[in-house]
Each structure stands twice: as C-alpha cells, then as structure tokens.
Amino acid sequence: MNSVSPSAVQYAGGVMHNELVDGRRQQSGAQQGSYGLRPPQSPDPSKEEEPEEMDKLKAKIMSAWNNVKYGWTVKSKTTFNKVSPVTLLGYSYLLCSEDQVEQFRMAFVSRIWLTYRREFPQLEGSSWTTDCGWGCMLRSGQMLLAQGLVVHLLPRDWTWPDAQQLTDVDFEVFRTRSPVRVGGVPIPSFGSPRVNGTPEKILPSDPTLRPSQRKRSESTRDRQAEPIHHKLLTWFGDQPPAPFGVHQLVGIGRSFGKKAGDWYGPSIVAHILRKAVAKTTVVHNLVVYVAQDCTVYKEDVAHLCDPSFSQTPPEPDNQVWKSVIILVPVRLGGEALNPSYIECVKNILKLECCIGIIGGKPKHSLYFVGFQDEQLLYLDPHYCQPVVDVTQVNFPLESFHCTSPKKMPFTRMDPSCTIGFYARNKKDFESLCSAVSLALSSSAEKYPIFTFVEGQGQDYGLEGQSSNHSGQVPHILPPGKSGRVHNRRHSDDFVFL
C-alpha cells in the first residue's frame, strides 16, 4: 500500500489522538539512546560502537513502524453541501454549479501539500532518514510558508495547470434540505458573508473577453508560470541543501533546543521559518515577522521591511519596502478551543491576506486553509510518501498536490496555533492591519486573539523559550510597555484567551 499513486491517494487523515500518543510513547522509548541522557560510556574503544549501532537499529524499527502506520490509506470521501459557501484562503465557492465545483477543485489541488517522507538522507546528528511520526508540525509550517511563496512569486489567482489531469479528486457535493431551485432561474452569485469593510476577493479578468477566451488566457498565464512553481518545490526538497527542507528546519531547530524526533509546537515552527527565510538567498524581497505577546508591533514590521525607516526624516515615497509574511502564534483557550473565537477564526480565513493557520488536533498537526459551516478545511501531512529527488530536471509534481479535501469540526481544533498573513508592499500592510483588526473585533470575547499596536516591542528572541516543549505561547508583557497592550492581564505568566 505504500506505493499508492499520489494522484489517487486518500491519505489517512483520521488518525486518532490516542493512537498518535501511543506511537509517540513507543518512539520516545526507541529514541532514549539517541536523544535522552546517556549513561557514562566506557573509554574502551571496542564498546563505543555498540550504542550507535543500537540507535540505528531502533531508528530503523521505528521508521518501519511509522511507514506502515502512515502509509496505509483509508478510502472515504469528504462531503460538501451546495447551500453553504465553502471558503478557501480568501475565496468563496457555492458548489451548486459545476463551474464552481471545478473552480474549487482546481484551487484546492493547486495548494502545495507537504507530507511525511521516508528514505531521505540521514538528518545530521541523528539516525533518522524519515520524519514520519514526529515531523507533522514542521510539514504544516512548510505548507504555510509555501502558500506565502505562492502568492509572493506566482501570478494572482494562479492554479496548477496539470491539476486537470488529477481526475480522482475525492469529495462529494450534496444538497441539504432546502427549496429546490426552479428551472431557468439563474444560480445566485456566490460569496460568503464578509466582515463590513473587508473586500471580496475578485478574480481579475478583462470584461471584454468571453469566458472561454478568459479561461484560455489564464491557462496560458499559469502554464508560463510553471518553472517558478517547479523551482519553488525544489526549495522544500528533502535534501540538506534545500533552504526550506526538513534538514534545514531541523538544523535551525537545534538553536531552540529541538532535535530530530522531538515534538515541534506552532510557535517554535514560526521562529524556525523566520530564520530559514532570513538565512537563504533564493527568495528576494521577502521577510518574515513573528509577533510577540500576541501583538504585532507596526514599527518593528516597518524596520524589518524598510531598513531606511529609521532615517530622519523618513522617505515618504520609499519604494524599497519588502514583502512580509506575518506569523502570529496564539492560544485560543485553555485545554480546548474557546467557542467564542470560532467566528473570529472564520473571518480571518475569509481574508485575502490570510495564508492559513497551522495547528490541528492535540499532538496532531494540520494546516487549515478554509471552512464550510462549522467544519474546518485542512491539508494533512500525516501520509508517508517516498522521497522525491528534486535535483532531477523533470521530477514528478503529483505527490506535492493533494486530491483529498478533509474537514473536521471547529470544536476539535487545538487552541495552540499560528496564523499567517502576507502583504506585498506598504500599502498592502496597512490594508492588512485594518482588515484583520476588523475581523478580530467580531469576537464576543473581551480579549482579542491578538492586536496591532504602534511602536516597538522588546525583542526576546526564542532561545529563552526553547525549553517550552508543550507548544504553549507565553504572553509576557514587556517591562514598562503594559500601556501598549490593551485589555491584557499581567498577573499570570500565561494569558489563555
């Protein structure tokens, strides 16, 4: 079953939490020699090789177990209704027409899907040749970053032209109990309810072109962008040189006290992605900002995007402003998601500037890209695939695109997550601040998920939090800056929203 074709795969997205915990318990035991405290070793050289060989054997056993566990598939289709709009990264689709179903299918399949891989080069300082069973949050973070790079590098509303070839897209559309549309009555234009003042994302088109001409024009444009799509995927390859591959991310994670085989929380992964983008030279004119204390400090973003911002006087029409991915680690409740924030999360996913949310179920990371009614839409990294050699000129792309939309109730969402946004320029950043602030104000809770404030924050870095393996996000107010953070409690080390 491990050799199932990616174009027909239904990944096992329904792995239960207790099953994963059991796997983690077995894995942690198998890794004790590699990552736990070692007993004092004998100076006898003849005895030094034995622990290393045992570590390799244990790693191989765990890899084989995880390959079986995450390599099998469960054939089941996700159902969508025709009445309620389905939102996917700022777009809304009403699936009561074949045209809308096809647009949704193309949009979903075009998202970059990054999953567990096996048989890649050994991770430095370990015996691991797979991230199966422990790297799901890293994979979710890769997908979040990949979406940011897609909107940064590819044409607006780009779709993967070869998605048409993946005919086995596993979802069904059904009509719930509702009045039947009278024959001949036009299908109403689709569009989800938006927060007042939030612009609807509209497909760019030339009104003088017929639909067939416009479709051909967009197809030609997307086909011309394929080399960029191809190059982007090489950056996430499972080889040490790939700037956003698992080898690089695990290497960066060591500076935060993380090792291959450890659990990575959404906050840690946000900082790893920030360092990965800052470290590489393959992406130009892009920076990553990670919010601190559930607060986006606008002046910090300005300094990051425009080094000349500190000049006196600043240049009002400066064109050097870099594009920015903003990552906001938050915790939306204590042990479970606070239901008061569900509507707020929906409104965030409706925004054009949102590039998704990494979180999931407890200890089971997912990449959320949209919703329908009370169900989140997600991409699941928990499917083990063979490594793809992205150094080959025409390596296959199918395994990087998912054909199986999956949904889960909002109530099962883990409260610890990281929300991603993208702004191409200064004007877009200002619009982002306004649109997101409006979406955040929709919550009935006294404390917003996060805030935008003027001024600068204190740069704590993350090294001091490296022991925070739980993935919880500390909300510690900067000394002397309590007035900048509105409605924040400061009596606890953690503020649970």
Side-chain angles (χ1 to χ4, degrees):
M1 292 292 287
N2 291 347
S3 60
V4 174
S5 170
S7 63
V9 67
Q10 266 289 357
Y11 55 80
V15 179
M16 299 301 293
H17 171 49
N18 58 350
E19 180 187 0
L20 187 61
V21 170
D22 291 341
R24 288 288 296 153
R25 286 171 180 166
Q26 294 178 37
Q27 181 180 327
S28 62
Q31 294 169 6
Q32 189 69 29
S34 295
Y35 308 118
L37 294 175
R38 291 178 179 269
Q41 298 294 317
S42 169
D44 186 353
S46 64
K47 296 183 180 180
E48 290 182 356
E49 295 181 2
E50 185 177 351
E52 182 180 352
E53 292 302 318
M54 288 299 295
D55 291 344
K56 289 181 179 180
L57 178 60
K58 290 174 182 177
K60 287 180 180 179
I61 292 173
M62 286 310 304
S63 295
W65 161 247
N66 284 321
N67 288 340
V68 172
K69 180 178 178 181
Y70 298 108
W72 290 83
T73 60
V74 178
K75 204 68 177 175
S76 62
K77 289 190 177 183
T78 300
T79 56
F80 294 84
N81 71 62
K82 296 182 178 181
V83 178
S84 302
V86 55
T87 295
L88 175 64
L89 293 173
Y91 284 91
S92 290
Y93 306 87
L94 195 58
L95 306 180
C96 58
S97 72
E98 290 299 324
D99 182 59
Q100 288 295 299
V101 171
E102 178 63 14
Q103 288 187 33
F104 169 69
R105 185 182 84 88
M106 289 290 292
F108 180 83
V109 174
S110 297
R111 298 313 100 211
I112 306 298
W113 183 41
L114 299 163
T115 72
Y116 290 153
R117 297 281 178 172
R118 63 179 183 271
E119 300 165 5
F120 53 62
Q122 185 172 307
L123 292 168
E124 184 181 356
S126 77
S127 301
W128 290 100
T129 57
T130 177
D131 63 319
C132 200
W134 56 269
C136 57
M137 185 62 76
L138 289 177
R139 296 299 185 179
S140 296
Q142 284 181 321
M143 287 189 273
L144 181 69
L145 177 59
Q147 176 60 21
L149 293 174
V150 164
V151 297
H152 180 65
L153 298 172
L154 292 169
R156 178 185 172 91
D157 309 314
W158 168 86
T159 56
W160 180 37
D162 292 338
Q164 292 282 3
Q165 301 175 11
L166 303 181
T167 56
D168 188 16
V169 178
D170 295 312
F171 70 93
E172 294 178 333
V173 180
F174 70 96
R175 181 181 293 279
T176 56
R177 292 184 179 180
S178 61
V180 179
R181 183 170 61 89
V182 179
V185 177
I187 297 173
S189 59
F190 74 96
S192 60
R194 291 264 170 165
V195 181
N196 292 335
T198 304
E200 181 76 47
K201 196 169 186 179
I202 302 172
L203 293 172
S205 61
D206 184 344
T208 63
L209 296 179
R210 295 179 180 178
S212 59
Q213 293 175 316
R214 184 159 58 245
K215 189 172 183 179
R216 284 196 300 270
S217 174
E218 292 171 354
S219 177
T220 300
R221 176 206 65 182
D222 293 342
R223 180 64 63 185
Q224 292 172 344
E226 270 306 280
I228 301 175
H229 171 217
H230 195 276
K231 174 62 70 174
L232 189 155
L233 289 176
T234 67
W235 297 339
F236 292 90
D238 295 298
Q239 283 88 20
F244 310 126
V246 68
H247 292 75
Q248 287 286 341
L249 300 187
V250 168
I252 294 172
R254 284 198 293 268
S255 65
F256 300 134
K258 293 293 184 180
K259 303 177 293 294
D262 285 350
W263 167 257
Y264 294 74
S267 178
I268 293 283
V269 168
H271 285 273
I272 290 175
L273 296 178
R274 171 181 61 84
K275 281 199 168 186
V277 172
K279 180 180 178 181
T280 187
T281 57
V282 299
V283 183
H284 304 288
N285 195 40
L286 179 70
V287 293
V288 175
Y289 171 85
V290 180
Q292 55 178 293
D293 314 323
C294 293
T295 306
V296 176
Y297 292 96
K298 294 182 180 180
E299 192 173 326
D300 285 344
V301 177
H303 278 288
L304 190 62
C305 295
D306 180 11
S308 68
F309 180 81
S310 55
Q311 292 180 355
T312 307
E315 301 176 23
D317 299 322
N318 184 33
Q319 300 298 317
V320 207
W321 186 281
K322 296 180 180 179
S323 302
V324 60
I325 291 175
I326 297 175
L327 302 178
V328 187
V330 296
R331 189 167 179 89
L332 309 178
E335 294 300 316
L337 177 73
N338 185 336
S340 300
Y341 290 111
I342 292 178
E343 196 63 30
C344 191
V345 172
K346 289 182 180 180
N347 287 329
I348 287 174
L349 288 169
K350 292 177 186 177
L351 297 176
E352 177 180 349
C353 58
C354 180
I355 57 174
I357 301 173
I358 57 173
K361 296 176 283 189
K363 299 293 184 181
H364 184 95
S365 177
L366 303 169
Y367 171 45
F368 298 115
V369 293
F371 69 94
Q372 185 180 48
D373 296 325
E374 302 309 310
Q375 301 275 325
L376 280 157
L377 179 66
Y378 64 85
L379 286 164
D380 191 345
H382 296 88
Y383 180 74
C384 189
Q385 304 187 81
V387 68
V388 173
D389 185 0
V390 297
T391 63
Q392 299 297 315
V393 176
N394 293 313
F395 66 87
L397 308 183
E398 289 79 10
S399 67
F400 296 99
H401 293 276
C402 179
T403 62
S404 305
K406 294 293 181 182
K407 296 195 297 183
M408 64 169 255
F410 273 94
T411 53
R412 294 180 63 191
M413 180 181 178
D414 190 287
S416 181
C417 60
T418 289
I419 307 171
F421 303 96
Y422 171 82
R424 184 172 298 277
N425 50 43
K426 184 176 182 180
K427 182 178 179 181
D428 283 352
F429 173 66
E430 293 170 350
S431 299
L432 181 155
C433 294
S434 300
V436 176
S437 296
L438 195 58
L440 295 174
S441 66
S442 65
S443 172
E445 278 292 314
K446 180 179 180 181
Y447 301 103
I449 293 178
F450 63 94
T451 59
F452 291 86
V453 299
E454 304 293 340
Q456 296 177 272
Q458 179 169 326
D459 186 13
Y460 293 107
L462 196 65
E463 284 72 10
Q465 303 173 19
S466 60
S467 61
N468 182 17
H469 299 306
S470 66
Q472 294 175 330
V473 184
H475 307 297
I476 306 172
L477 295 180
K481 296 190 178 182
S482 58
R484 286 184 177 175
V485 185
H486 306 294
N487 298 326
R488 290 289 166 85
R489 296 175 291 180
H490 55 275
S491 59
D492 301 319
D493 288 340
F494 292 85
V495 177
F496 293 115
L497 301 176

